[in-house]
């Protein structure tokens, strides 16, 4: 194994609208890698000296939900050049912002001056407009999530080959995967029996991944990695990447579930989906197209760092249990970006065992979700010696109230808060950049005295220039955060060492109470459309459960049919209209009350004095 390179896998947790934070982290990380690479290139040309020589290569981009979408967008973005974002840009350079795929995808989304995100998400076009691909006027989600398709296609489909792009810090065969919750399920068969009889037990697994690898079709190795190429005339499997990006972000009920079409071989031949890598257990036909309906990947696995680590081990030829984890010998690292690290989920000393039916349902759903996301093997190995193969970036902000943990603005309303205000997303994107800068400088490091061979090679003769002291111990940054300065007069190059950002240069955003109250009409229209069309959607004939005996028993006599036609239907229609009119108002007000209370709790609500009085 090359002792000059640290291999990196980046795993991005689910975050809903707080994907803006993850995108900000990635934007700064790419900027730091670009600048370090430029300095190394100048050193190779003899125009600069004193640059650490080791390498970092990103082998894997992975994620769930918003993290999976960001992984897919990043995989596309690295094939083109773009400028990175500063606070000054956010204030006065909208043209530059629109050219940054991470910022444009997560902060701008599809927002327009005359139509913000909530106006779009409360629109009824996804239900009532045939052009949205819903001729049966089905209700597919609480919110209109058509914008997700626009965002995914806008950047992944628009990639044009740029010969000037040079990013050797990404592997040529980069792997990209997003977790999925597959509602169809992957079927398995287990045989029971002996020489005298055979019985088969069938089961389904609903955890799924869309697993890609940069390359061409002829390089496929029957390992389940879907070949992905952005430069082919038709873009090899780009459409499948778009489908997967949308599917991993399909928050259950809130956002629309998505369909994925892929060949069965990409499931059957992927050992991370085919348990035990046993072809005889798997009933998916490899040559057929396997059609699945999927919701948010975070439903089952919201933090896929453990699978990222397994893939990294496999790529490096590391056998299970033999990964080098000590500061003195580690060679690979998984970096996890998590906007919601679950600080609040600590043991509740005031726990109450509520047994009423209305409480039990939510507790059961919470327990099922928690068990699905539980990582037993990771927990078993979490304690003991220091492990330098796992690093974590989480939100941190000066001035935040630790009691309510208002580090990020998009964290309100369980992660949906960012859709209410573009300034929330702007703040979190910039905070992600700032947190990444601090992380690279202070935490993404290893002790100098551990004498790791990769870092010893990289920093040879440069120890005093780059080391950082933390708690009276010296550390080497794994990724030196430097900038190149060029003197136009002398033509000479020099290095600028990136210092701390100034303390909070950007104010924690706020939203007007009047704006939230103004959502009432759009909310009522959305609720009315949901109620009116909730039963729409025809199942195929084979799915209809109409028994002949039941149909005969429940057949209505002629006089009841007449009554229904002349009196019952108009009367019930009038009652339904009246009930809808009342219900939609009550539901809309209740929703707004919840939003106001949560925004106020998170210190995001302006002191709109006239309305509060």
């Amino acid at each position: 194994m090359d002792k000059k390179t640290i291999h990196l896998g980046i795993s991005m947790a689910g975050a809903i609208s707080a994907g803006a934070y993850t995108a900000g982290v990635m934007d700064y990380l790419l900027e730091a890698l670009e600048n370090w690479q430029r300095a190394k290139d100048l050193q190779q040309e003899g125009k600069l000296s004193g640059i650490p020589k080791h390498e970092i290569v990103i082998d894997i981009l992975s994620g769930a939900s918003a993290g999976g979408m960001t992984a897919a967008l990043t995989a596309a973005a690295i094939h083109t050049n773009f400028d990175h974002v500063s606070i000054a840009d956010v204030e006065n350079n909208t043209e530059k912002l629109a050219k940054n795929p991470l910022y444009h995808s997560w902060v701008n989304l599809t927002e327009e001056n005359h139509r913000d995100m909530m106006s779009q998400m409360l629109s009824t076009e996804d239900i009532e407009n045939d052009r949205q691909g819903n001729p049966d006027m089905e209700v597919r989600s609480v919110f209109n999530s058509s914008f997700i398709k626009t965002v995914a296609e806008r950047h992944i489909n628009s990639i044009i080959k740029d010969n000037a792009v040079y990013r050797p810090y990404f592997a040529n065969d980069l792997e990209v995967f997003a977790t999925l919750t597959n509602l169809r399920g992957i079927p398995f068969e287990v045989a029971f029996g002996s020489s005298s009889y055979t019985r088969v037990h069938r089961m389904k697994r609903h955890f799924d991944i869309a697993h890609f690898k940069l390359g061409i079709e002829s390089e496929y190795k029957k390992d389940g990695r879907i070949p992905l190429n952005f430069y082919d005339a038709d873009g090899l499997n780009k459409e499948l990447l778009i489908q997967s990006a949308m599917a991993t972000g399909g928050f259950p009920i809130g956002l629309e579930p998505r369909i994925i079409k892929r060949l069965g071989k990409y499931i059957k031949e992927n050992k991370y989906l085919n348990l035990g890598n046993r072809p005889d257990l798997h009933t998916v036909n490899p040559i057929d197209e396997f059609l699945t309906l999927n919701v948010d990947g975070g439903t089952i696995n919201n933090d896929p760092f453990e699978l990222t680590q397994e893939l990294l081990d496999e790529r490096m030829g590391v056998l299970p249990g033999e990964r080098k984890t000590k500061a003195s010998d580690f060679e690979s690292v998984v970096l996890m970006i998590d906007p919601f690290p679950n600080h609040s989920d600590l043991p509740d000393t005031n726990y109450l065992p509520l047994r009423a039916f209305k409480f039990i349902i939510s507790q059961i759903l919470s327990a099922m979700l928690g068990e699905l996301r539980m990582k037993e093997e990771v927990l078993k190995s979490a304690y003991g010696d220091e492990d330098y193969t796992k690093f974590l970036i989480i939100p941190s902000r000066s001035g935040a109230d630790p009691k309510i943990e208002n580090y990020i603005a998009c964290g309100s309303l369980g992660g949906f808060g960012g859709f209410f205000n573009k300034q929330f997303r702007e703040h979190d994107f910039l905070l992600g950049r700032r947190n990444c800068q601090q992380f690279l400088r202070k935490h993404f490091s290893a002790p100098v005295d551990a004498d790791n061979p990769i870092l010893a090679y990289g920093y040879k003769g440069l120890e005093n220039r780059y080391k950082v002291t933390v708690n009276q111990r010296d550390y080497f940054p794994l990724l030196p955060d430097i900038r190149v300065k060029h003197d136009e007069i002398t033509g000479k190059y020099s290095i600028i060492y990136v210092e701390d950002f100034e303390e909070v240069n950007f104010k924690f955003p706020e939203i007007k109470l009047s704006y939230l109250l103004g959502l009432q009409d759009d909310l009522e229209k959305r609720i009315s459309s949901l109620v009116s069309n909730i039963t729409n959607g025809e199942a195929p004939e084979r799915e209809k459960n109409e028994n002949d005996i039941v149909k005969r028993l429940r057949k209505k006599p002629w006089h009841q049919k007449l009554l229904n036609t002349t009196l019952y239907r108009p009367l019930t229609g009038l009652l339904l209209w009246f009930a809808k009119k009342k219900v939609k108002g009550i539901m809309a007000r209740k929703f707004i009350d919840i939003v106001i209370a949560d925004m106020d709790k998170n210190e995001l609500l302006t002191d709109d004095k006239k309305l509060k009085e």
Side-chain angles (χ1 to χ4, degrees):
M1 183 58 63
D2 182 6
K3 295 297 183 182
K4 300 177 181 179
T5 302
I6 295 172
H7 292 267
L8 177 62
I10 301 176
S11 180
M12 306 172 223
I16 313 177
S17 68
Y21 175 85
T22 303
V25 171
M26 286 303 301
D27 186 56
Y28 193 90
L29 184 66
L30 292 177
E31 184 177 5
L33 285 163
E34 286 167 13
N35 281 283
W36 182 26
Q37 185 62 48
R38 184 185 177 210
K40 284 189 288 187
D41 292 342
L42 288 169
Q43 181 168 256
Q44 188 71 23
E45 296 169 10
K47 297 177 181 178
L48 201 56
S49 61
I51 309 303
K53 301 185 296 295
H54 66 285
E55 306 285 344
I56 284 183
V57 172
I58 299 173
D59 290 275
I60 300 164
L61 292 173
S62 70
S65 187
M69 297 174 79
T70 306
L73 290 167
T74 303
I78 61 175
H79 292 86
T80 185
N81 280 321
F82 57 91
D83 291 328
H84 300 281
V85 174
S86 68
I87 296 173
D89 295 327
V90 171
E91 294 172 350
N92 56 31
N93 196 339
T94 55
E95 183 178 349
K96 180 179 176 181
L97 299 177
K99 293 178 180 179
N100 181 301
L102 292 167
Y103 184 94
H104 195 32
S105 296
W106 278 110
V107 179
N108 289 343
L109 292 174
T110 55
E111 188 149 318
E112 301 171 352
N113 291 333
H114 64 283
R115 199 171 187 224
D116 64 15
M117 289 313 302
M118 284 313 299
S119 296
Q120 296 178 44
M121 294 176 72
L122 294 177
S123 162
T124 60
E125 292 175 355
D126 60 322
I127 300 172
E128 300 173 1
N129 190 336
D130 283 352
R131 288 177 295 178
Q132 296 290 327
N134 185 9
D136 295 329
M137 297 178 68
E138 298 175 343
V139 173
R140 295 173 179 171
S141 56
V142 171
F143 294 108
N144 183 340
S145 47
S146 303
F147 71 96
I148 295 175
K149 187 173 188 289
T150 301
V151 171
E153 290 181 338
R154 183 172 65 198
H155 286 295
I156 294 175
N157 268 342
S158 65
I159 294 301
I160 300 173
K161 185 173 182 178
D162 188 342
N163 292 322
V165 172
Y166 175 62
R167 290 192 169 95
Y169 39 86
F170 278 93
N172 291 329
D173 61 345
L174 173 75
E175 294 186 45
V176 184
F177 79 81
T179 62
L180 306 168
T181 299
N182 179 340
L183 299 184
R184 178 181 182 177
I186 300 171
F188 289 87
E189 288 185 351
V190 180
F192 287 78
S194 63
S195 57
S196 62
Y197 82 103
T198 301
R199 297 290 184 272
V200 173
H201 173 70
R202 293 188 176 92
M203 61 185 76
K204 290 183 178 181
R205 190 188 191 203
H206 295 276
F207 167 76
D208 198 350
I209 56 173
H211 192 174
F212 299 85
K213 179 191 278 189
L214 294 186
I216 57 178
E217 187 68 51
S218 60
E219 295 174 343
Y220 180 68
K221 297 179 179 179
K222 295 186 177 182
D223 57 5
R225 274 78 158 171
I226 303 167
L228 178 65
N229 194 311
F230 292 96
Y231 296 157
D232 278 4
D234 299 322
L236 179 63
N237 289 318
K238 279 204 302 185
E239 182 56 38
L240 184 51
L241 182 68
I242 291 170
Q243 292 176 20
S244 304
M246 293 191 294
T248 191
F251 190 87
I253 301 176
L255 301 174
E256 183 179 341
R258 303 289 180 171
I259 295 170
I260 292 180
K261 298 177 183 179
R262 58 196 145 152
L263 291 176
K265 67 180 182 179
Y266 296 134
I267 297 174
K268 192 178 185 73
E269 294 171 3
N270 191 312
K271 73 177 186 179
Y272 300 99
L273 293 177
N274 190 342
L275 297 176
N277 204 21
R278 290 271 303 279
D280 56 317
L281 296 180
H282 216 305
T283 61
V284 176
N285 191 325
I287 63 173
D288 289 343
E289 194 172 65
F290 193 65
L291 189 69
T292 60
L293 182 65
N294 310 270
V295 295
D296 198 297
T299 306
I300 292 179
N301 190 339
N302 198 52
D303 317 288
F305 62 89
E306 84 293 352
L307 181 52
T308 306
Q309 203 154 39
E310 284 184 50
L311 285 166
L312 204 53
D313 288 346
E314 180 185 341
R315 287 175 66 95
M316 297 182 68
V318 176
L319 297 175
E322 295 185 3
R323 183 189 310 127
K324 297 175 181 179
T325 62
K326 295 181 179 180
S328 60
D329 60 8
F330 74 92
E331 300 171 344
S332 65
V333 169
V334 171
L335 170 59
M336 182 172 162
I337 307 169
D338 189 356
F340 303 126
N342 297 322
H343 287 173
S344 298
D345 294 348
L346 297 173
D348 186 357
T349 55
N350 297 315
Y351 173 73
L352 296 173
L354 303 173
R355 292 178 289 178
F357 185 75
K358 63 180 181 179
F359 300 122
I360 286 292
I361 294 175
S362 63
Q363 291 182 74
I364 290 174
L365 290 174
S366 179
M368 291 172 65
L369 184 60
E371 186 62 26
L372 283 171
R373 293 178 174 179
M374 180 64 179
K375 296 175 170 61
E376 185 175 348
E377 293 304 315
V378 173
L379 190 63
K380 289 177 180 177
S381 63
Y383 301 97
D385 296 336
E386 290 182 315
D387 186 344
Y388 277 84
T389 64
K390 293 194 288 286
F391 287 84
L392 175 66
I393 298 181
I394 61 175
S396 175
R397 180 178 67 86
S398 298
D401 184 347
K403 294 180 181 178
I404 59 174
E405 297 179 354
N406 60 338
Y407 303 106
I408 57 176
C410 294
S412 58
L413 297 167
F416 274 86
F419 295 126
F420 284 80
N421 192 331
K422 183 179 178 180
Q423 290 182 352
F424 291 2
R425 305 191 298 273
E426 286 177 350
H427 170 275
D428 289 358
F429 186 93
L430 292 172
L431 184 67
R433 281 182 51 85
R434 181 183 180 198
N435 285 172
C436 185
Q437 189 272 339
Q438 294 291 298
F439 170 78
L440 295 181
R441 184 172 182 270
K442 297 181 177 180
H443 307 297
F444 197 47
S445 59
V448 173
D449 56 21
D451 200 28
N452 182 285
I454 298 173
L455 297 177
Y457 162 79
Y459 286 102
K460 185 176 181 181
L462 308 174
E463 293 83 357
N464 293 328
R465 190 177 301 185
Y466 288 94
K467 68 182 180 182
V468 177
T469 303
V470 181
N471 296 329
Q472 299 181 335
R473 193 178 187 186
D474 292 335
Y475 291 80
F476 281 143
L478 304 189
L479 196 173
D481 195 4
I482 55 180
R483 300 292 182 270
V484 175
K485 182 179 179 181
H486 183 222
D487 190 317
E488 296 290 344
I489 298 175
T490 65
K492 292 183 177 181
Y493 293 90
S494 59
I495 291 298
I496 300 174
Y497 302 96
V498 177
E499 300 297 332
D500 294 349
F501 279 106
E502 294 178 17
E503 279 301 311
V504 188
N505 288 320
F506 44 99
K507 181 184 176 184
F508 199 54
E510 295 177 322
I511 191 168
K512 289 183 178 180
L513 180 58
S514 56
Y515 170 79
L516 297 177
L517 293 172
L519 295 174
Q520 178 86 20
D521 288 345
D522 285 346
L523 264 171
E524 289 190 12
K525 290 176 185 176
R526 181 74 186 177
I527 293 168
S528 179
S529 185
L530 292 174
V531 173
S532 298
N533 298 287
I534 195 71
T535 59
N536 289 353
E538 289 294 321
E541 288 297 325
R542 62 187 178 85
E543 297 292 338
K544 292 183 179 179
N545 186 20
E546 295 182 353
N547 181 270
D548 289 338
I549 297 175
V550 173
K551 284 166 62 178
R552 188 170 66 250
L553 287 172
R554 303 308 176 195
K555 187 176 181 180
K556 296 175 182 177
W558 67 268
H559 59 275
Q560 189 171 350
K561 290 182 180 178
L562 181 63
L563 184 64
N564 285 351
T565 303
T566 59
L567 180 62
Y568 181 74
R569 287 185 180 178
L571 181 61
T572 53
L574 181 63
L575 289 172
L576 182 61
W577 173 85
F578 182 76
K580 249 191 340 184
K581 186 173 179 64
K582 288 292 184 183
V583 168
K584 69 181 182 182
I586 293 170
M587 291 180 68
R589 285 193 295 273
K590 183 64 176 175
F591 178 84
I592 291 172
D593 289 349
I594 292 170
V595 173
I596 290 171
D598 193 82
M599 296 286 185
D600 189 41
K601 172 189 171 185
N602 285 280
E603 299 181 356
L604 293 164
L605 203 62
T606 59
D607 186 14
D608 218 333
K609 292 182 178 178
K610 291 184 180 179
L611 288 169
K612 282 190 174 181
E613 291 171 356

